[in-house]
Amino acid sequence: MDVERIDNGINAEEGEYEKNGKKEVKGGGEKSVEEISESQEVPLWKNQLTIRAFGVSFLLSIMFSFIVMKLNLTTGIIPSLNVSAGLLGFFFVKTWTKMLQKSGLLKQPFTRQENTVIQTCVVASSGIAFSGGFGSYLFGMSERIAKQSDDNGSFKNPSLGWIIGFLFVVSFLGLFSVLPLRKIMVIDFKLTYPSGTATAHLINSFHTPQGAKLAKKQVRALGKFFSFSFLWGFFQWFFTAGEDCGFVNFPTFGIKAYKNKFYFDFSTTYVGVGMICPYIINISVLLGGILSWGLMWPLIETRKGDWYPAGIPASNMHGLQGYKVFIAIAMILGDGLYNFFKVFSRTLTGLFRQVRGKQSLPVANRPSTSDTSKKISYDDQRRTEIFLKDQIPVWFSVAGYVTIAIISTIALPHVFHDLKWYYILVIYMFAPTLAFCNAYGCGLTDWSLASTYGKLAIFTIGAWAGSHGGVLAGLAACGVMMNIVSTASDLMQDFKTGYLTLASPRAMFVSQVIGTAMGCIVSPCVFWLFYKAFDNFGVPDSQYPAPFAIVYRNMAILGVQGFSALPKNCLLLCYGFFGAAILINFMKDMMGKKWGSFIPLPMAMAIPFYIGPYFAIDMCIGSLILFVWEKLNKAKADAFAPAVASGLICGDGIWALPSSILALAGVKPPICMKFLSRATNAKVDTFLGS
């Protein structure tokens, strides 16, 4: 999982669906996956890349880019959408092929390899909506966020042209950086990649008679809740004619609780997110909200005039806002650094064990020197044979990386004048090693540390550049690093999925490249629609506050200015919460899986520190629905909960498209429904009575 992106919507245990090549079923004796599909011919790699697959991928990438963008710009919590991407890809192509089959025009049947290509392309494309930094480092460069941070330094406002150009020159490097090591990761080291394995299990199950029937029912459930969520978003829109209007501002627990961000905002998106995310994440977010908005901020507010000036605006970074932002940063950094060193140490330990006794690391085109005398299963033999069949030359990977690195080293200083060419060169010298570490660590733990590497780039490059453009240089360096390490781990996840579904590595790589190219165009366009449609975009307490933009901007300021940027006593509190984040993580690891699973996650706790706990209530309601459902019928909940949750997320997410178009066209909702306190109501009654 990513530190701002929750990627464990599919449990690792679900991914481990085989043991020694056999399905784990009661009674035993059932054929393995590849023995069942032995009679099915595996298409050539070129035949796995079909026009219909990329047509469906393009439509789904637009849909998922809207969903990820909306999540990114509201809270920054993004669950794994692999289940819905795989399910919808299967449904659309299967429906299309059935129609062609009935008319006698079907030339090529729909295979699990083609399904994997769609899955890879969609996830690669929508992933740019996260790694592109539209809700974090990229928008953090803007004048609007600079003013909120009380930063009089340089800024760079968003523009569709330079954003697309920037993404094109940085998003492909990660793909080439780890490409030669696909064999060592997947076959020699047999890394788990739990999300990739679980996705493969899902796709394999779709292409069996029983799995196809279940998938049909799951799509029906997804469609039903998609429609409900979309229509609910449309209904709510009618009552939002002004500020603080509509159901999203309903004071569920009273006016005082509402002012401290404790209310249910009727968001089907975050109810769905709560159903996908593990219970401990939802509880952690709620605990963080109670700790900050329920205790800390009211107490610090009583020190107004002592700790910070009484007359400054609420949004001023030298007032209460500064405590909210910097304490959240301290927790995020404490959690990120702890997990960085944990995963890095596990990576080095695992790597040492794997290569001990070998003379060199095996790469893609070199035969493995490991002991092959051990008997391996039929499934492993068949998968290895297919995976090694279509080679990608090492020279192609090296040439691709060097060429793109040269182009971007020349181009990026023209986009960001403060980002010197030698900063970029240093990043590219270390990037392949860091990309390998992230991809390897993700294979062991399912935990991508892309945003942690990005934060490290903010501090190192920002401090190096100093006060002369260090903020923009640090944020731009963050974008370069995040894109490289994020796409590297995503590619290896996809190679694992392809290995288990007999998809060609060439087809997977081409699909990843095409999906990334789609994302470099689709995601900026989606962001631009949001940016132009809403006048208060990026403003605190607005519909799309982009909360992590101000967090990343202030990290860059901290890297350049040091602790002088902090309000009074804020540094002491930051030390405390930084240490607490490390201590909580350490306790969680020491207590083991059984008891450690009850310890909250500091990263999740930090998210509501700045934006408030209202969405945590939505997520906990989603958890409660899932918990009751599992108690009533666990088998049905396991089968349909991901589809129901995806429907709720997708419907509300897609409503963002027509609502943005209406806003651009100047069409406003007809009603402003406000919920007032009793005192205010009494004043209104008196006014109307007079």
Side-chain angles (χ1 to χ4, degrees):
M1 66 185 270
D2 246 317
V3 289
E4 276 105 49
R5 180 176 64 181
I6 309 299
D7 275 341
N8 51 354
I10 303 172
N11 292 328
E13 288 78 13
E14 290 178 323
E16 294 166 0
Y17 69 101
E18 306 179 10
K19 199 170 185 178
N20 297 325
K22 300 291 179 182
K23 279 187 176 179
E24 290 292 319
V25 294
K26 291 180 180 179
E30 189 168 326
K31 285 185 175 182
S32 69
V33 173
E34 301 310 333
E35 286 173 343
I36 291 172
S37 57
E38 187 177 7
S39 59
Q40 299 174 4
E41 185 181 353
V42 178
L44 296 173
W45 72 273
K46 289 182 180 179
N47 295 335
Q48 295 173 24
L49 304 168
T50 61
I51 295 174
R52 69 188 179 198
F54 290 116
V56 168
S57 298
F58 181 68
L59 294 175
L60 289 178
S61 71
I62 295 173
M63 175 181 173
F64 282 101
S65 292
F66 266 98
I67 295 163
V68 173
M69 192 68 69
K70 181 176 180 178
L71 294 167
N72 219 353
L73 297 174
T74 48
T75 65
I77 297 178
I78 305 170
S80 172
L81 297 171
N82 288 9
V83 172
S84 43
L87 194 61
L88 288 171
F90 172 79
F91 169 71
F92 285 131
V93 179
K94 196 71 175 176
T95 303
W96 174 248
T97 53
K98 272 192 174 183
M99 290 170 59
L100 290 178
Q101 192 172 16
K102 286 179 181 178
S103 61
L105 299 174
L106 182 64
K107 295 181 179 179
Q108 184 177 338
F110 182 43
T111 63
R112 54 187 172 138
Q113 290 79 26
E114 191 178 353
N115 204 158
T116 307
V117 165
I118 295 172
Q119 163 81 21
T120 300
C121 190
V122 173
V123 172
S125 178
S126 59
I128 299 295
F130 168 74
S131 62
F134 301 101
S136 55
Y137 65 84
L138 191 143
F139 188 55
M141 300 177 185
S142 67
E143 184 180 11
R144 191 171 298 175
I145 299 300
K147 286 180 178 177
Q148 290 177 37
S149 303
D150 298 323
D151 181 15
N152 298 320
S154 55
F155 59 84
K156 189 172 183 66
N157 283 321
S159 171
L160 201 56
W162 74 255
I163 292 174
I164 292 174
F166 167 70
L167 291 176
F168 263 107
V169 296
V170 300
S171 296
F172 296 92
L173 276 158
L175 304 181
F176 289 95
S177 64
V178 293
L179 185 59
L181 299 175
R182 65 190 181 279
K183 180 176 176 287
I184 176 180
M185 300 285 209
V186 177
I187 296 175
D188 292 288
F189 289 177
K190 292 183 172 58
L191 296 177
T192 311
Y193 288 105
S195 290
T197 303
T199 304
H201 166 50
L202 189 74
I203 291 171
N204 282 333
S205 69
F206 286 163
H207 294 267
T208 62
Q210 297 84 357
K213 287 180 183 177
L214 177 61
K216 191 176 180 181
K217 292 178 182 177
Q218 288 172 326
V219 168
R220 194 177 296 126
L222 190 151
K224 192 184 298 181
F225 283 90
F226 175 95
S227 302
F228 164 75
S229 182
F230 183 87
L231 292 173
W232 175 243
F234 179 50
F235 174 74
Q236 287 189 91
W237 176 81
F238 280 95
F239 303 95
T240 56
E243 288 186 14
D244 302 326
C245 296
F247 289 94
V248 293
N249 294 291
F250 181 71
T252 322
F253 309 110
I255 297 293
K256 191 170 184 179
Y258 170 78
K259 287 179 179 177
N260 283 313
K261 308 286 187 180
F262 285 96
Y263 59 92
F264 175 53
D265 70 347
F266 294 90
S267 168
T268 52
T269 293
Y270 285 101
V271 172
V273 170
M275 292 179 70
I276 290 178
C277 291
Y279 294 127
I280 190 60
I281 287 176
N282 301 330
I283 296 298
S284 298
V285 173
L286 184 60
L287 285 175
I290 293 170
L291 175 64
S292 55
W293 289 84
L295 294 172
M296 288 176 56
W297 306 155
L299 287 173
I300 292 176
E301 201 167 10
T302 62
R303 311 303 297 172
K304 185 189 295 185
D306 180 14
W307 285 17
Y308 60 94
I312 61 174
S315 60
N316 193 293
M317 291 303 295
H318 294 287
L320 184 59
Q321 186 84 332
Y323 294 92
K324 293 176 184 178
V325 171
F326 287 112
I327 293 173
I329 288 173
M331 284 197 77
I332 290 169
L333 290 177
D335 184 278
L337 286 176
Y338 177 87
N339 284 291
F340 169 76
F341 285 113
K342 182 179 78 173
V343 174
F344 191 69
S345 62
R346 286 187 184 179
T347 300
L348 292 179
T349 304
L351 190 60
F352 174 74
R353 288 175 180 170
Q354 292 284 359
V355 302
R356 187 171 54 187
K358 299 180 182 180
Q359 293 182 347
S360 60
L361 288 177
V363 292
N365 298 335
R366 189 186 301 163
S368 176
T369 57
S370 58
D371 182 14
T372 56
S373 62
K374 293 180 182 178
K375 187 178 179 180
I376 58 175
S377 69
Y378 171 78
D379 280 16
D380 287 338
Q381 286 180 339
R382 184 158 168 74
R383 287 165 179 165
T384 302
E385 178 190 349
I386 297 295
F387 193 75
L388 297 178
K389 182 181 176 183
D390 297 319
Q391 296 291 338
I392 302 173
V394 175
W395 66 262
F396 174 78
S397 308
V398 175
Y401 185 86
V402 171
T403 303
I404 297 173
I406 291 171
I407 292 170
S408 59
T409 303
I410 295 169
L412 284 177
H414 293 284
V415 179
F416 306 106
H417 301 300
D418 298 321
L419 188 67
K420 306 303 180 185
W421 66 268
Y422 44 88
Y423 299 159
I424 303 166
L425 191 63
V426 170
I427 290 172
Y428 289 161
M429 286 171 64
F430 289 99
T433 304
L434 298 178
F436 168 74
C437 291
N438 193 49
Y440 189 93
C442 190
L444 292 174
T445 63
D446 206 30
W447 192 296
S448 173
L449 296 174
S451 46
T452 303
Y453 286 108
K455 293 181 187 84
L456 291 175
I458 287 178
F459 286 111
T460 53
I461 301 299
W464 187 3
S467 57
H468 301 290
V471 173
L472 275 192
L475 290 170
C478 171
V480 175
M481 184 61 76
M482 263 186 73
N483 276 281
I484 292 172
V485 297
S486 178
T487 52
S489 61
D490 288 348
L491 179 65
M492 282 302 158
Q493 287 272 18
D494 291 332
F495 275 143
K496 182 69 175 185
T497 304
Y499 170 77
L500 295 170
T501 57
L502 302 187
S504 166
R506 283 188 189 178
M508 299 301 293
F509 181 73
V510 171
S511 178
Q512 185 87 18
V513 169
I514 292 174
T516 302
M518 283 182 188
C520 290
I521 297 172
V522 171
S523 290
C525 291
V526 170
F527 169 76
W528 196 247
L529 184 61
F530 279 97
Y531 182 68
K532 286 295 183 182
F534 301 98
D535 294 332
N536 59 354
F537 182 90
V539 176
D541 299 324
S542 65
Q543 188 175 355
Y544 298 105
F548 276 100
I550 195 168
V551 169
Y552 274 68
R553 177 93 189 188
N554 280 279
M555 283 185 188
I557 292 170
L558 199 62
V560 173
Q561 297 181 7
F563 297 132
S564 61
L566 301 178
K568 185 180 177 182
N569 292 322
C570 188
L571 179 59
L572 189 62
L573 290 169
C574 288
Y575 280 146
F577 279 90
F578 180 86
I582 293 173
L583 182 62
I584 291 169
N585 274 305
F586 181 73
M587 287 172 58
K588 190 176 181 68
D589 287 338
M590 288 298 101
M591 292 177 75
K593 284 187 178 180
K594 184 178 179 181
W595 298 107
S597 61
F598 294 100
I599 303 293
L601 297 165
M603 178 62 67
M605 289 178 68
I607 293 170
F609 270 50
Y610 171 60
I611 57 179
Y614 61 92
F615 68 95
I617 294 167
D618 302 344
M619 291 171 69
C620 286
I621 288 173
S623 279
L624 181 62
I625 292 169
L626 181 62
F627 179 78
V628 172
W629 194 357
E630 285 179 336
K631 289 296 179 185
L632 295 174
N633 190 334
K634 191 173 191 311
K636 200 168 184 180
D638 290 343
F640 291 99
V644 169
S646 298
L648 291 172
I649 295 169
C650 294
D652 195 36
I654 289 302
W655 166 245
L657 174 59
S659 68
S660 301
I661 293 172
L662 288 170
L664 275 173
V667 179
K668 293 185 178 181
I671 303 167
C672 175
M673 181 173 67
K674 279 198 175 186
F675 303 93
L676 308 175
S677 66
R678 289 180 182 177
T680 308
N681 271 319
K683 289 178 183 178
V684 172
D685 290 340
T686 304
F687 173 76
L688 292 174
S690 62

